[in-house]
Amino acid sequence: MTEPSRLELLRFARRVIVQQAAASLAQVDGWIAAEEEREAAQRRAEERRPKPAWLIERGIGVGSPPMQVHRGGCRMAQGVRVQAITEDQARRALYEHVGACEFCNPDTALRVIPE
């Protein structure tokens, strides 16, 4: 049996690389599909989660006082410094001079006119 030529060895190396690349692409495609499904499931869960009617936004720092009251769907009330509150808590906060969001106007919705 004769030794394979340099050209035959290079062609063999190319076939091996193509096979490995195909396997790697298939693996990455699987990861992408799994991540897409995870994100879709997360979106579906978020859509099913009941939205709070009222939110309160706190200032920066642990134990900081409330800054603003928002309606539940207000786009200005996003992030970790926002928490759900009851309607009574929202009214009380507005009466205690916590600011009302100028975009969603919770004071108008609750018919609260701070003194």
Side-chain angles (χ1 to χ4, degrees):
M1 185 177 242
T2 64
E3 291 287 317
S5 71
R6 182 175 167 87
L7 183 58
E8 290 171 327
L9 290 173
L10 289 171
R11 286 187 177 143
F12 174 76
R14 184 183 187 285
R15 283 195 307 273
V16 169
I17 290 170
V18 167
Q19 285 178 333
Q20 289 176 341
S24 294
L25 281 174
Q27 185 177 33
V28 170
D29 287 343
W31 293 339
I32 289 170
E35 184 62 18
E36 287 172 341
E37 177 55 34
R38 187 193 67 76
E39 286 182 1
Q42 189 175 8
R43 276 192 307 275
R44 287 190 302 270
E46 183 66 30
E47 290 168 0
R48 285 192 304 265
R49 184 177 300 137
K51 303 290 186 241
W54 307 101
L55 301 168
I56 195 154
E57 177 183 358
R58 298 201 171 272
I60 297 173
V62 176
S64 63
M67 291 177 46
Q68 283 190 324
V69 176
H70 299 270
R71 286 187 189 196
C74 181
R75 291 183 181 262
M76 303 306 285
Q78 297 178 355
V80 295
R81 298 180 310 157
V82 176
Q83 68 185 64
I85 57 174
T86 65
E87 184 174 324
D88 288 338
Q89 290 171 320
R91 273 199 178 91
R92 195 172 327 120
L94 291 168
Y95 280 124
E96 292 173 358
H97 303 288
V98 174
C101 174
E102 296 176 5
F103 295 95
C104 65
N105 299 311
D107 51 347
T108 303
L110 292 169
R111 298 185 175 142
V112 172
I113 301 172
E115 299 170 1

